Amino acid sequence: MSELRVLAVASEIYPIVKTGGLADVVGALPTALQAYGIETRTLVPGYPDVIKALAVAEEFLHVPEFFGGPARLLGRVHGNLNLLVLDAPHLFARPGNPYVTPDGKDWPDNGVRFAALSKMASEIGQGAIPSFVPDVVHAHDWQAGLAPAYLHLAHQRRPATVMTVHNLAYQGKFPHHMLDVFGLPRESFSIHGVEYYGMISFLKAGLQFSDRITTVSPTYAREIQTSEGGMGLGGLLRERSQVLSGILNGIDISVWNPETDRDIAARFSATELDPRAANKLALQRRFGLDPSPNALLLGVVSRLSWQKGLDILLENLPTILGEGMQLVLLGSGEADLQHAYQAAAKAHPGRIAVLIGYDEAVAHLIQAGADALVVPSRFEPCGLTQLCALRYGAVPIVSQVGGLSDTVIDVGEAGGAATGLKFGPVTADALAGALQRANILWHDQQAWRRLQYNGLSTDVSWRSRASRYAALYRDVVAARRNQ
Ligand code: ADP
Ligand code: GLC
């Protein structure tokens, strides 16, 4: 099997910069792909944390003027990752969240910042680093969406391109007068180009001009071709359905390993679940919850945004309290939701606990100590927390959408093989039903154990899922060679 070279392009990468699951995927996939003869280098922006992580780096390029200032392209191996870094201080030397200002607004020059990232990807695609000329440029989400567009519009010899949608809700839209600043040709501003309802959309550009489109679950691949799930791009995605596929995400099972996890109170395994009880107690103590082993302890680890449906869970506080359950929530995001959950915790100490913020160690403890993990998303391209839950013996209670549908098996679907509970439609009533069903199962110890063991024996790793990407890369490279 010949080696293939892939340039991945993304705006975040675990463990250096992360705001969500995108970083996890971009950080884990390259290692998993090695087993299939794929060599990946990942181009990321030179945020302060990235530059710090590089220490001594190789300088591949120096460009005196690149989108408004000088830029360098640096390279360095970091752990398992082979990174290429766009060091452009005028665009990326800003601490904190990669996309928003300290007071929470999008950086006004986000278009320029991520056009620059994509442009650098296209230059690497066209041979800017002679020692690494990729066979495939793989763009992740809108921030990398212009990369396939630049490559296509250059009308030169180019690598194959793949665009992966991790979340169709973020489309990277900018005013059309930015066309020249982005270095896009006038004729590209059309319905068959980068134009989107009078604006320029980076995601649309990527979807329009890439050779292949993927998204992160088969169900989401179908949902985004409908008018509701398509969020304005359904028509284009239907037109391109021949090149669109859904490949499920995995998780890094060395980062998420209950046998070696240092963030939890007691380590356990797929065959030895009893120590989990100590994690539940540690979690209850850490959050001031009543140390009751009998109350079904629900966990949530999530961004607090409309997508995640946590307002629907909030409506179910009476169910949770009435059924004698407990809830621990770790998350941050929309101010209204943060305040509402904090108020609930204050009103029901011992029963409801909330930590507003981002804390990986606590996320691990919740997965290891909660009895169930609730993910009531309105839409979910894949979702990773339910995969972590399966691996950690927390029974997932999820809405029947996107990747949640594809990764959890409900009791009603396959009794003996079930791994969790699913509910639909995404309403407070349907969630109440699922919570009540869960509580009945919880009080049948054998039934609950079976759910846990089924979850623990589910393969949530990248191994087989990475092989799908490897096959896709080989296929698209062969198709381009034959053109
Ligand atoms: P999304 O990318 O839409 O936020 P995913 O489920 O794909 O959702 O990925 C979320 C990732 O971020 C998971 O690795 C999850 O553990 C992590 N995460 C989310 N919120 C927090 C938090 N408040 N603290 C720690 N980790 C979090
Ligand atoms: C997005 C989606 C999430 C998915 C993640 C990684 O953030 O919201 O469902 O798991 O990307 O693909």
Side-chain angles (χ1 to χ4, degrees), residues 382-438:
C382 180
L384 299 177
T385 58
Q386 83 281 11
L387 302 181
C388 303
L390 290 169
R391 180 144 168 87
Y392 271 56
V395 172
I397 302 175
V398 304
S399 53
Q400 203 159 0
V401 299
L404 300 173
S405 240
D406 294 337
T407 55
V408 175
I409 306 170
D410 186 90
V411 183
E413 277 174 281
T419 57
L421 292 101
K422 290 198 257 198
F423 69 93
V426 190
T427 61
D429 277 352
L431 174 56
L435 293 174
Q436 282 152 354
R437 271 202 302 143

Side-chain angles (χ1 to χ4, degrees), residues 174-442:
F174 304 96
H176 84 274
H177 66 76
M178 299 292 288
L179 211 59
D180 289 346
V181 177
F182 297 153
L184 289 165
R186 287 282 155 92
E187 63 276 13
S188 70
F189 192 71
S190 80
I191 189 164
H192 299 298
V194 304
E195 189 269 347
Y196 182 75
Y197 294 101
M199 298 186 79
I200 301 164
S201 160
F202 285 17
L203 182 63
K204 185 202 166 183
L207 297 174
Q208 187 75 48
F209 289 121
S210 55
D211 298 318
R212 293 284 189 282
I213 300 168
T214 74
T215 187
V216 288
S217 69
T219 295
Y220 195 58
R222 285 192 298 277
E223 289 170 351
I224 58 178
Q225 295 180 58
T226 64
S227 34
E228 196 196 339
M231 298 183 161
L233 291 164
L236 164 58
L237 290 164
R238 275 196 300 282
E239 250 170 59
R240 301 214 68 205
S241 65
Q242 293 303 314
V243 297
L244 164 64
S245 59
I247 303 178
L248 274 180
N249 288 334
I251 54 169
D252 185 333
I253 57 169
S254 62
V255 173
W256 290 97
N257 183 355
E259 293 183 53
T260 56
D261 196 323
R262 288 171 189 278
D263 294 322
I264 65 181
R267 293 188 253 288
F268 59 98
S269 72
T271 50
E272 184 49 63
L273 260 181
D274 288 342
R276 260 193 124 258
N279 290 315
K280 179 170 179 177
L281 187 60
L283 184 59
Q284 287 169 321
R285 290 225 170 100
R286 163 86 170 68
F287 279 93
L289 292 167
D290 300 338
S292 148
N294 296 328
L296 171 56
L297 173 52
L298 305 170
V300 172
V301 178
S302 185
R303 288 187 291 121
L304 302 181
S305 74
W306 183 84
Q307 172 190 346
K308 301 293 178 179
L310 290 164
D311 48 322
I312 291 166
L313 183 63
L314 203 55
E315 283 185 58
N316 266 295
L317 284 185
T319 318
I320 294 170
L321 296 167
E323 293 272 329
M325 303 176 183
Q326 299 180 343
L327 171 69
V328 56
L329 174 138
L330 166 66
S332 65
E334 287 169 16
D336 289 357
L337 279 170
Q338 293 189 172
H339 293 146
Y341 273 102
Q342 278 170 324
K346 214 167 158 201
H348 305 285
R351 303 290 306 282
I352 312 278
V354 170
L355 178 63
I356 299 299
Y358 181 88
D359 190 323
E360 279 177 16
V362 173
H364 282 241
L365 184 60
I366 291 178
Q367 296 285 10
D371 300 306
L373 187 90
V374 190
V375 193
S377 306
R378 289 196 167 82
F379 69 94
E380 196 60 74
C382 180
L384 299 177
T385 58
Q386 83 281 11
L387 302 181
C388 303
L390 290 169
R391 180 144 168 87
Y392 271 56
V395 172
I397 302 175
V398 304
S399 53
Q400 203 159 0
V401 299
L404 300 173
S405 240
D406 294 337
T407 55
V408 175
I409 306 170
D410 186 90
V411 183
E413 277 174 281
T419 57
L421 292 101
K422 290 198 257 198
F423 69 93
V426 190
T427 61
D429 277 352
L431 174 56
L435 293 174
Q436 282 152 354
R437 271 202 302 143
N439 212 20
I440 293 169
L441 284 165
W442 164 249

Side-chain angles (χ1 to χ4, degrees), residues 54-74:
L54 285 185
V56 264
E58 189 176 347
E59 182 177 305
F60 288 115
L61 290 177
H62 180 92
V63 194
E65 160 53 42
F66 195 67
F67 290 84
R72 297 184 304 162
L73 180 64
L74 305 175

